[in-house]
Amino acid sequence: MSAHSSIESADRTLAIRDLYRTRPRSRLVRASVVLFAFFALYAFLSPDVAWSDLFSARRRSNLSRFVDHDLIPYPLRDSGFSWSALTEWAGNLMRSHGLEAMAATFWISVLAIVIAGLASLLFAPLGAHTLANREPYGSSAKRSGHDAWRALVGTTRVAAVLLRAIPEYVWAFLLLAMLGPTAWPVIIALAIHNTGILTRLGSETIENLEVAPLESLAAVGASRRQLATLVALPLALPRFLLYFFYRFETCIREATVLGMLGVVSLGYWIADARGRQNYDEMVFLVALGAVLILLTDLVSYTVRRWIR
Amino acid sequence: MDPRELKRPLPVSRRGVVLFSIAALGIIAAFALELSPQDLAPHAGGVEIAREFFSAALSPAIDYEAEFVPDGAPPFLIRTLGAIRRTLVFAAFAMSLAIVAGLALGFLASSGSGSATIQLIARLIIAAARSVHELLWAVVFLAAFGISPASAVIAIAIPFTGVLAKIFSELLDEAPDDAAYALRAAGTSRLRAFLFGRLPSAIPDMAAYSFYRFECAVRSSAVLGFFGFETIGYYIKASFENLHYHEVWTYLYALIAVVLAFEYWSAALRKRFAV
């Protein structure tokens, strides 16, 4: 009896081991985990992030002054808490520049993402190997070969990489120096960066399209332009819109922050309040930015579900 | 044919409505911001700045452009590497905090937490953390602590915790849950059922997604430099303001190389997993 059960348990151990050996795993994931662990360990050991500094007496007194005094809306500092004083303070801030800055942030990101969307509609087909070749969706023998089309695809992709790898902030800096402080530098900086991203995502979407409808239309003599505008783009549109809204959400976030460089979005007033050391107002404006982001995320989520 | 298609209430498709609204909003935006096309024309010096900036792209600096370099300053390329190193250190530090906190919050926000109230609270915290940009967190912490690398790290860690927790909770909810049920039925505690029943099958996707966020953290860490922390953005801004465009391009190329390396790695990871 005991011999029998020990055989059974040995069997079970073997079966578990078998399961363990055949479990889904990936070398790449493991390598990534190891790589990240290396970075993290190095970061913890390096003296760059002086962690204990955060708990020094000076930092603590800074923090307690910030929480106990600076953060409290100034009408409430001496007189104690009252709803009417608080709402009057918030209302004044909203009227003097809060609402206007929220609207400016919103419109800046709308215009930026619309420009980026249009530009990437133009560039995405040029970066797709399947469309930009000698005979799109035709006989495979004629598709390959070094020709001008390959150069076109390559150029488009390299350009897209450069556009998106340079941070928006660098574009904004350059454009502010060139154009002066209107809303344009921020709009164009966001548009350039997002054109790079949307072009890459768009090209990938077109390349991953189901080939059957495209090939059959190519077989009955559809031209490249017809294939691109009448078949590929409509088929890719749902994905395009998905990416468009995803980038719109990030645009709102970046437009808020880019204002700190001197353009009238929320960031401008946040930097302004920071300069005057009115931290109560600064945190209020940061919270306004959060509200704007939550609202636009909600709208974009609803629209995405509606068109799915 | 899809029966819904037959009784479509609108003469145009939903996508058509959305496309039209997008175009209309774009035009309204131009008027709302009172933009004028004249402002798009660079002023006299502007063209010169752009020309100098872009021609410097072809000859990035390999040494300081300034005539006077303070004693003890490291060679320029060493300084570039140092800036990149610090950028990575900030990002890795912030990410390791965010992964731990994101796991905890993600568990509480997933259906595994077992209480609708806890789930709701966790989701509210996640929404609040996510909806403030890391640079704005940094500005708030600058006011609270004064300038300190640790405040930059926390500033990145907070919104990244939010994003990770949101994705983690979704991945955990989608993970096969039969093992966790079996463990619960056998009398295991909720936490253990989570740790040994649900977490293991979600781990590969979570690792892939975390690595992708690490790539984003590197970008954020670089950009924090524009606001006074000593990552590469700090040097880009300083060189830009001193009109040392060749130096700017050296920093930019270093940053682009690092970002692209991470991007290709994480793209390869994501190809394998549907994140």
Side-chain angles (χ1 to χ4, degrees):
Chain A
M1 178 67 200
S2 70
H4 184 217
S5 82
S6 79
I7 288 174
E8 206 173 55
S9 92
D11 269 1
R12 198 179 301 143
T13 321
L14 266 182
I16 290 174
R17 235 177 239 165
D18 230 34
L19 272 175
Y20 182 73
R21 244 203 331 272
T22 54
R23 73 196 187 284
R25 60 192 152 175
S26 148
R27 274 219 185 102
L28 198 59
V29 170
R30 289 193 174 181
S32 317
V33 171
V34 170
L35 185 71
F36 177 72
F38 166 77
F39 274 120
L41 193 68
Y42 179 77
F44 278 109
L45 294 178
S46 79
D48 294 295
V49 183
W51 202 247
S52 55
D53 169 58
L54 216 49
F55 303 103
S56 69
R58 192 166 58 89
R59 300 272 182 225
R60 265 183 314 188
S61 76
N62 258 357
L63 181 64
S64 64
R65 196 203 59 228
F66 181 73
V67 174
D68 296 338
H69 180 263
D70 296 350
L71 214 49
I72 298 169
Y74 76 87
L76 307 182
R77 272 179 203 155
D78 304 319
S79 58
F81 186 82
S82 94
W83 273 111
S84 62
L86 182 67
T87 47
E88 197 196 329
W89 171 77
N92 281 340
L93 281 182
M94 292 296 279
R95 269 190 301 276
S96 70
H97 48 249
L99 277 176
E100 206 188 317
M102 271 171 107
T105 310
F106 176 76
W107 291 121
I108 285 175
S109 14
V110 167
L111 194 52
I113 197 65
V114 168
I115 294 174
L118 285 177
S120 64
L121 269 191
L122 199 65
F123 293 135
L126 302 181
H129 280 291
T130 49
L131 262 183
N133 63 47
R134 206 181 301 159
E135 198 170 303
Y137 297 100
S139 62
S140 53
K142 285 190 184 167
R143 260 187 240 169
S144 55
H146 299 273
D147 50 14
W149 285 108
R150 276 184 100 93
L152 177 68
V153 171
T155 320
T156 311
R157 298 209 152 180
V158 169
V161 164
L162 272 181
L163 293 191
R164 80 189 133 90
I166 297 177
E168 302 95 316
Y169 301 84
V170 175
W171 290 119
F173 253 112
L174 179 69
L175 289 159
L176 268 171
M178 284 173 65
L179 304 177
T182 60
W184 280 117
V186 169
I187 295 172
I188 301 173
L190 284 173
I192 289 177
H193 186 74
N194 284 294
T195 300
I197 294 174
L198 287 177
T199 298
R200 173 190 174 220
L201 293 172
S203 302
E204 279 175 9
T205 310
I206 293 178
E207 286 187 352
N208 294 334
L209 282 179
E210 196 83 54
V211 291
L214 285 149
E215 274 180 353
S216 51
L217 279 166
V220 297
S223 70
R224 185 194 323 280
R225 190 181 304 160
Q226 285 170 329
L227 282 175
T229 55
L230 300 175
V231 193
L233 284 180
L235 281 178
L237 191 63
R239 281 244 120 177
F240 270 17
L241 281 175
L242 197 73
Y243 291 137
F244 179 87
F245 281 107
Y246 150 64
R247 287 316 299 178
F248 173 61
E249 290 172 21
T250 42
C251 261
I252 290 267
R253 289 168 161 79
E254 302 299 338
T256 309
V257 171
L258 280 171
M260 292 206 277
L261 302 178
V263 173
V264 186
S265 77
L266 271 167
Y268 175 82
W269 293 106
I270 289 171
D272 179 63
R274 185 185 160 207
R276 287 182 277 120
Q277 301 205 318
N278 290 349
Y279 294 130
D280 49 347
E281 182 185 337
M282 185 186 89
V283 171
F284 179 79
L285 291 169
V286 168
L288 270 191
V291 170
L292 180 65
I293 285 171
L294 285 175
L295 283 179
T296 48
D297 278 9
L298 190 70
V299 169
S300 135
Y301 175 78
T302 319
V303 176
R304 270 188 285 148
R305 283 202 31 183
W306 190 62
I307 53 177
R308 190 151 39 172
Chain B
M1 193 186 227
D2 187 348
R4 275 174 304 177
E5 205 112 330
L6 291 174
K7 43 176 183 179
R8 200 161 56 191
L10 296 166
V12 274
S13 68
R14 289 181 165 187
R15 271 176 219 153
V17 173
V18 170
L19 285 181
F20 180 78
S21 324
I22 289 172
L25 279 173
I27 293 167
I28 296 172
F31 284 103
L33 292 168
E34 293 167 17
L35 291 170
S36 77
Q38 287 107 303
D39 291 337
L40 257 182
H43 53 79
V47 184
E48 184 58 21
I49 293 173
R51 206 187 55 76
E52 270 178 40
F53 182 76
F54 286 111
S55 59
L58 297 176
S59 55
I62 49 170
D63 207 344
Y64 288 105
E65 269 180 76
E67 280 172 22
F68 172 75
V69 179
D71 286 337
F76 178 67
L77 292 180
I78 300 290
R79 174 144 107 167
T80 309
L81 285 180
I84 286 283
R85 188 186 60 84
R86 231 167 295 127
T87 307
L88 290 174
V89 162
F90 279 33
F93 209 127
M95 269 311 281
S96 39
L97 297 181
I99 287 174
V100 175
L103 267 179
L105 258 182
F107 165 62
L108 293 178
S110 76
S111 55
S113 74
S115 144
T117 326
I118 294 182
Q119 232 175 313
L120 183 70
I121 295 172
R123 289 199 175 153
L124 286 178
I125 297 176
I126 290 173
R130 246 163 53 82
S131 56
V132 176
H133 194 279
E134 53 268 22
L135 282 171
L136 296 182
W137 281 117
V139 167
V140 171
F141 286 128
L142 274 177
F145 290 111
I147 194 153
S148 146
S151 41
V153 167
I154 309 179
I156 301 177
I158 291 178
F160 278 67
T161 299
V163 176
L164 283 177
K166 177 171 180 270
I167 300 291
F168 283 175
S169 73
E170 286 168 8
L171 288 174
L172 286 170
D173 281 341
E174 284 161 17
D177 51 4
D178 28 5
Y181 271 122
L183 283 170
R184 285 291 284 158
T188 329
S189 75
R190 207 172 271 287
L191 184 65
R192 287 201 181 160
F194 165 75
L195 283 179
F196 301 108
R198 206 181 264 264
L199 186 62
S201 47
I203 275 186
D205 275 342
M206 283 161 68
Y209 188 76
S210 304
F211 200 84
Y212 164 66
R213 289 310 298 183
F214 184 31
E215 175 203 326
C216 303
V218 172
R219 289 172 203 263
S220 299
S221 160
V223 163
L224 271 177
F226 288 99
F227 299 86
F229 298 97
E230 262 194 85
T231 63
I232 195 149
Y234 177 83
Y235 297 97
I236 292 178
K237 187 183 177 194
S239 292
F240 195 94
E241 283 170 349
N242 292 327
L243 310 180
H244 294 156
Y245 296 140
H246 299 276
E247 286 182 13
V248 171
W249 279 100
T250 310
Y251 293 132
L252 277 180
Y253 284 134
L255 176 63
I256 290 173
V258 171
V259 165
L260 285 185
F262 271 97
E263 199 176 288
Y264 280 109
W265 186 298
S266 80
L269 256 179
R270 273 178 297 155
K271 212 169 273 175
R272 213 157 295 194
F273 300 91
V275 186

